[in-house]
Amino acid sequence: MGSSSQHYPTQHGPTLAPDPAMRRLARGGILNLAGSMFAAVMQFALVAIVTRLASESVASAYFALTSFAVLVAALPTFGAGTGLIYFLARYRALGRWDLVARTLRVGLVPTGAAILGTGLAIVAFADTLAVVIGIDRVPGAVGGIQLTAVAICATAAVTLFTSATRGFGSNRVTVFNAQVLQPVLQLILVASTVTSGLVAMAVGWSLPIVVAAVSCGTATLVMFRRGRTRSSVRPSAPVDEERLRFWAYSSPLGIVLVLKSIVQRADVIVLSAVGAPLQVLLYVAASRYLVLGQLANRAMNWTLQPRISAALAAGDRVGANAAYGAATAWLVLASWPLSFGCILFSGSLLEIVGGHGFRAGGAILIVLAVSMLVAAACGNVEAVLAMTGRTRLNLAIAGLAVVTNLALLFLLIPRYGSLGAAYAWAVAIVVSNVVPTYLLQRLEGLTPFTRSLAVAAGLAIVSTLALGGIIRVVAGDSLQALGTAVVLCGITHTIGTWLMRRELSLVGVFGRGSKSGSR
């Protein structure tokens, strides 16, 4: 780890042509991004179906219930997912397969017990939980919570197994299971049960997660056995030192995950608890577009974490910073056009999800979109900070963000409803990105602010904000104007990306590419 007095080379000069490792990083990011976009489309379709076909009370209860499930699922893993990525990637880079085996045992065995205990506790206290999250008056609330206990356990298992496979160097398992299989099955099953009540919808939402967990677990076992066979090293039993090392790193991240889940899900639960079903629906509809931007961040995060960990393990800090800078540029390239579109055409985008009446939530979407511009420009800063080993600093920042979020939620929701929730989340997003970006630069000499980032930002501003703004002024915030903007801005952005591919570190990503430096 670096200290505050150490300074390391960063990528401020001309962009270099991607080496094979950078091309693999880009291809992995593109694969994860494509999967995330597909999953986002499935989520949008699911939200639209539930919003339009279920009764207002049942739809509100469904969103509160699923938000509760996602929040609680972070508890039993206690940071082991990120720990698996960190240690497996490092030990594979160092050729220490004996430590790979120990890491799997140390990470998976205790969390398996914690996952089971969490599920049983939720089943036992389902009555109380229904009151806490404000759905006790909806028929089937207790049964729905008991069913989501299964989904919570399966979600935690998916997190662990997909983390392990990414630590083994594979993104395909995560993409297929978490971004394709699970959302497709959820869309089909929830859509087929949307008029049958909360319990049936809970079954439709939970079952696909169980299927994904079984599939991911099988893939993890297969990849471990293949690696062990190739290494010809017999894994040794877990030792106390390895267990302490793993959990000393992972435990702070476990609390971080819980705090981040609170920031991401507490707003819906608080809105539901104060008895405002329409406010919940407006907020969920608007926040789906924010989630789309977060999926792009998560997609790049899944690819970047093992790369950063392996580079730092090998002492390649310049390579780690180059990967961080390039990934941030690609994230801005993918997400800023969406954020600008949300700002320009907020009413039309919400009408797509919930009908004309949902245009009232336009201000919510604009506030959240602005915060996502800031978050994307900081890149995967939390993940990079974790890969440097500074997990306690991650914890401190997450604590600051959740305190800020909760204080603003209880202060603003009574007066401003769902718009107050949007302001609270936006401020928390800015805090949780700007603060670690500053500290990462000061403590480790790693920064996302490179020439590639400037090019990506400029391209998004010209192709989307400027061109889309002209269309918005001329044609207004209508579905027809939105469609025109998507086509024209999309074509302009794509052409610009191709023309600026060298400056964006994308040369050779889809082919052999040039081995020379950039101009």
Side-chain angles (χ1 to χ4, degrees):
M1 282 184 224
S3 66
S4 59
S5 62
Q6 291 175 302
H7 298 281
Y8 300 94
T10 56
Q11 186 190 359
H12 290 289
T15 305
L16 299 177
D19 58 16
M22 192 66 75
R23 287 198 294 270
R24 288 194 297 272
L25 176 68
R27 288 169 179 166
I30 291 170
L31 176 64
N32 277 315
L33 182 58
S36 293
M37 294 293 288
F38 179 82
V41 171
M42 296 296 101
Q43 287 187 17
F44 271 102
L46 184 58
V47 169
I49 289 171
V50 173
T51 300
R52 291 173 180 268
L53 298 182
S55 67
E56 190 175 279
S57 60
V58 171
S60 175
Y62 167 82
F63 291 127
L65 185 61
T66 53
S67 294
F68 166 77
V70 174
L71 190 158
V72 176
L75 289 172
T77 62
F78 212 63
T82 305
L84 289 171
I85 295 173
Y86 178 77
F87 285 103
L88 293 180
R90 291 176 69 89
Y91 293 153
R92 286 178 62 250
L94 298 174
R96 294 296 306 275
W97 193 262
D98 56 323
L99 296 181
V100 168
R102 289 178 181 175
T103 297
L104 287 172
R105 295 183 183 181
V106 166
L108 295 179
V109 173
T111 50
I115 289 170
L116 180 60
T118 300
L120 293 175
I122 291 171
V123 171
F125 294 99
D127 290 335
T128 302
L129 291 172
V131 176
V132 170
I133 64 178
I135 64 172
D136 53 302
R137 297 181 181 179
V138 178
V142 174
I145 290 177
Q146 291 174 335
L147 284 167
T148 54
V150 177
I152 288 168
C153 295
T155 299
V158 169
T159 297
L160 294 174
F161 291 138
T162 54
S163 297
T165 55
R166 294 200 301 278
F168 285 135
S170 172
N171 291 298
R172 292 185 176 89
V173 174
T174 299
V175 172
F176 174 74
N177 290 283
Q179 298 175 330
V180 177
L181 179 65
Q182 179 180 318
V184 167
L185 290 178
Q186 284 179 324
L187 177 63
I188 294 172
L189 294 179
V190 173
S192 64
T193 58
V194 70
T195 58
S196 301
L198 187 60
V199 172
M201 293 171 69
V203 172
W205 187 78
S206 302
L207 184 59
I209 308 177
V210 176
V211 173
V214 173
S215 178
C216 293
T218 302
T220 301
L221 180 61
V222 169
M223 294 178 71
F224 169 70
R225 287 180 173 176
R226 286 177 180 172
R228 181 178 58 181
T229 300
R230 286 198 302 267
S231 69
S232 70
V233 176
R234 179 170 299 179
S236 47
V239 295
D240 290 339
E241 286 187 14
E242 192 62 31
R243 183 178 296 108
L244 290 173
R245 185 181 299 114
F246 182 90
W247 288 109
Y249 173 88
S250 301
S251 296
L253 291 178
I255 304 175
V256 169
L257 287 175
V258 174
L259 296 179
K260 288 177 66 177
S261 294
I262 292 173
V263 171
Q264 293 175 351
R265 300 289 173 169
D267 39 22
V268 175
I269 296 174
V270 172
L271 283 170
S272 176
V274 298
L278 180 59
Q279 293 295 315
V280 172
L281 297 183
L282 285 174
Y283 188 77
V284 168
S287 64
R288 289 310 90 188
Y289 291 98
L290 177 66
V291 170
L292 180 57
Q294 288 181 324
L295 287 174
N297 188 294
R298 185 174 64 177
M300 198 56 65
N301 184 46
W302 286 342
T303 305
L304 186 63
Q305 279 183 321
R307 164 69 172 158
I308 295 290
S309 179
L312 293 178
D316 183 12
R317 193 170 294 270
V318 173
N321 195 79
Y324 178 31
T328 304
W330 301 334
L331 180 60
V332 166
L333 195 66
S335 65
W336 269 30
L338 171 65
S339 296
F340 287 141
C342 290
I343 293 171
L344 295 172
F345 299 98
S346 58
S348 296
L349 289 169
L350 289 175
E351 182 177 349
I352 292 174
V353 178
H356 186 78
F358 274 57
R359 283 179 171 268
I364 302 171
L365 184 52
I366 292 173
V367 170
L368 295 178
V370 170
S371 71
M372 288 309 296
L373 291 172
V374 177
C378 295
N380 302 94
V381 60
E382 293 175 280
V384 176
L385 186 61
M387 292 300 105
T388 66
R390 296 182 179 272
T391 56
R392 293 183 180 179
L393 192 54
N394 280 84
L395 175 58
I397 295 167
L400 176 62
V402 77
V403 169
T404 301
N405 179 249
L406 291 177
L408 291 176
L409 281 178
F410 289 106
L411 179 66
L412 298 178
I413 283 180
R415 174 175 291 186
Y416 300 105
S418 53
L419 181 59
Y423 280 122
W425 194 4
V427 172
I429 289 172
V430 172
V431 169
S432 61
N433 282 275
V434 172
V435 173
T437 300
Y438 171 77
L439 293 176
L440 191 62
Q441 165 65 30
R442 293 282 296 175
L443 300 176
E444 297 288 344
L446 300 176
T447 176
F449 303 123
T450 64
R451 180 185 177 187
S452 294
L453 175 59
V455 172
L459 177 57
I461 290 172
V462 172
S463 66
T464 309
L465 183 60
L467 181 56
I470 293 173
I471 297 172
R472 172 70 167 79
V473 170
V474 172
D477 185 2
S478 64
L479 293 175
Q480 293 81 1
L482 173 61
T484 302
V486 168
V487 173
L488 294 182
C489 295
I491 292 174
T492 304
H493 194 65
T494 301
I495 293 173
T497 300
W498 175 256
L499 293 176
M500 304 298 290
R501 63 191 182 279
R502 185 181 299 276
E503 287 78 6
L504 293 168
S505 301
L506 290 172
V507 172
V509 171
F510 299 104
R512 296 183 63 181
S514 169
K515 294 184 180 181
S516 62
S518 76
R519 58 188 92 155

